[in-house]
Amino acid sequence: MLAVGFLYVVLMIWATVLWWRKRSFESPGFLKALVAVQPLGFIATISGWVTAEVGRQPWIVYGLMRTAAGVSPIPAGNVVWSLALSS
């Protein structure tokens, strides 16, 4: 997730430089980069969710915590809306 954030910052700086030179829509490399980074926001959301769940799992597996204590208090409907809106 952090790498995606830094990649977006670098892309924003690149866009600013191209805008300053009035070449935003004339750079094929920049336009291809914009197309390539489109799914990264969704990938960052999913990877953050997986990281949180995997980090929680060993405590449940080793018997140090009950499964009910490891469940997030967020209703399933909120999770569905969050994932649907982030894509």
Side-chain angles (χ1 to χ4, degrees), residues 1-9 11 33-50 81-87:
M1 290 187 315
L2 187 63
V4 171
F6 278 118
L7 180 62
Y8 279 143
V9 169
L11 197 62
L34 287 178
V35 171
V37 300
Q38 285 182 3
L40 291 182
F42 182 73
I43 292 170
T45 301
I46 296 298
S47 66
W49 177 78
V50 168
W81 277 107
S82 173
L83 292 175
L85 293 175
S86 68
S87 59

Side-chain angles (χ1 to χ4, degrees), residues 28-73:
F30 175 67
L31 296 175
K32 288 178 184 177
L34 287 178
V35 171
V37 300
Q38 285 182 3
L40 291 182
F42 182 73
I43 292 170
T45 301
I46 296 298
S47 66
W49 177 78
V50 168
T51 301
E53 294 302 323
V54 169
R56 186 179 296 152
Q57 199 62 28
W59 303 101
I60 296 169
V61 172
Y62 294 124
L64 299 174
M65 187 164 99
R66 292 181 174 257
T67 305
V71 176
S72 295

